[in-house]
Amino acid sequence: MAHEKLNIVGIPIDNLERDMFLKLVYQELDRKQKNVFIVTANPEIIMNAKNSPSYREALLQADYIIPDGFGVIKASNILGKPLQEKITGYDLVHTFLAYASEKRKSVYFFGAKEGIALEAINRAKELYPNLIVAGSKHGYSGLTQDIAEEIASAKPDFVFVGLGAPMQEKWIASYRHLFPHSVLMGVGGSFDVLSGNVKRAPQFWLDRNLEWFHRLITQPTRGKRMLKLPIFVAEVYKQKWTSRK
Ligand code: UDP
């Protein structure tokens, strides 16, 4: 069933309720006819794509581009076409892990520094005891075809790729053909958070859409990356005004 997409600064974002989105992904997983590439888009990803045609190409190959976080929802409001629901990448990882554990689907964690993907797997097994682990691999062993083939040989149902943007989406776009029935998703620094090596913002900040501010004060080195946020907002207004003409 076709659903509406909203173009935000050149990237078509799916306008779907969370439950409907999950239903569509799980249907595809059961049908085993094709793989599913999911992008969780935030302002930084959208701005990277604006500045890099090859990254934009990779994103446009995704089956779903969902609004990860408040920035993209806010942009849809500015454009006068509010998206139905925010679907946060990290929450989605947990939703898929819980589903995999319940339905006996296997998962693979690829990315993060040595040891962290394994720590994240161990934590995931504590949280979701029936989880089937197809494997894990850190994200600094080179991004060669051999590595992709090794991961594919484990035949995982869910492949979580935590290499950070833009590498993770480019990797999925390049190698998804090796995973004919899997769900593949870029998860950024989720393994760092799941393993407990990086703290997620407390609920107080999450409730107020201030996770970005919490990140800025706890990881100040990210400051430069966050400069893309005001540029993103300016681009959204530019889109709004040019579409009115
Ligand atoms: N990373 C990796 N290989 C690399 C570069 C980065 O596995 O060559 C990992 C890094 O260790 C971290 C993740 O990619 O776990 C990127 O995290 P970041 O916090 O930048 O992503 P975000 O959550 O902001 O998308």
Side-chain angles (χ1 to χ4, degrees):
M1 196 171 48
H3 54 269
E4 205 184 305
K5 290 172 195 281
L6 173 65
N7 176 348
I8 299 185
V9 192
I11 297 299
I13 309 287
D14 289 291
N15 189 9
L16 276 167
E17 272 177 26
R18 184 188 168 85
D19 286 350
M20 175 53 79
F21 163 67
L22 294 175
K23 196 174 143 198
L24 292 170
V25 173
Y26 298 154
Q27 247 171 26
E28 215 55 77
L29 196 60
D30 285 339
R31 249 187 232 151
K32 288 188 178 293
Q33 301 287 319
K34 63 186 281 297
N35 56 20
V36 183
F37 171 15
I38 300 168
V39 170
T40 61
N42 57 27
E44 194 185 346
I45 284 183
I46 295 176
M47 287 314 294
N48 279 349
K50 183 166 168 52
N51 297 323
S52 159
S54 64
Y55 186 44
R56 182 162 183 273
E57 270 313 301
L59 294 190
L60 294 183
Q61 288 182 39
D63 298 287
Y64 297 99
I65 306 184
I66 55 173
D68 178 6
F70 178 64
V72 180
I73 298 293
K74 186 84 192 142
S76 74
N77 292 336
I78 292 172
L79 295 169
K81 293 175 184 152
L83 289 165
Q84 302 199 44
E85 208 167 344
K86 167 174 96 177
I87 306 178
T88 310
Y90 185 67
D91 294 337
L92 194 55
V93 171
H94 279 280
T95 302
F96 284 157
L97 290 174
Y99 181 83
S101 169
E102 193 193 321
K103 303 284 180 188
R104 313 297 290 151
K105 306 280 185 198
S106 64
V107 303
Y108 200 110
F109 285 10
F110 174 42
K113 296 205 179 99
E114 188 150 21
I116 292 194
L118 197 58
E119 278 177 40
I121 284 277
N122 289 336
R123 178 72 185 130
K125 282 199 289 201
E126 276 167 31
L127 293 170
Y128 308 103
N130 294 326
L131 197 65
I132 301 175
V133 176
S136 70
K137 179 166 275 305
H138 70 83
Y140 294 83
S141 40
L143 302 176
T144 57
Q145 169 99 10
D146 287 358
I147 299 274
E149 282 172 3
E150 186 191 322
I151 298 171
S153 70
K155 299 202 183 320
D157 292 307
F158 288 92
V159 186
F160 299 109
V161 185
L163 301 171
M167 229 182 337
Q168 57 194 19
E169 285 81 19
K170 285 187 170 179
W171 188 88
I172 295 174
S174 303
Y175 296 117
R176 67 183 294 191
H177 63 280
L178 300 174
F179 299 83
H181 312 133
S182 310
V183 173
L184 302 109
M185 172 168 117
V187 299
S190 294
F191 304 143
D192 301 290
V193 179
L194 187 56
S195 64
N197 285 283
V198 169
K199 292 268 168 294
R200 203 181 182 203
Q203 199 60 41
F204 174 88
W205 300 84
L206 297 179
D207 289 345
R208 285 159 186 76
N209 295 312
L210 287 172
E211 186 171 15
W212 64 273
F213 186 63
H214 181 266
R215 278 188 156 195
L216 182 63
I217 50 180
T218 53
Q219 297 170 265
T221 47
R222 302 177 69 100
K224 201 164 148 236
R225 285 169 57 172
M226 284 181 186
L227 291 176
K228 288 193 184 136
L229 255 172
I231 305 173
F232 171 72
V233 175
E235 285 294 337
V236 173
Y237 275 105
K238 199 165 117 194
Q239 179 179 337
K240 177 180 165 130
W241 291 323
T242 44
S243 69
R244 271 188 183 165
K245 282 180 192 157

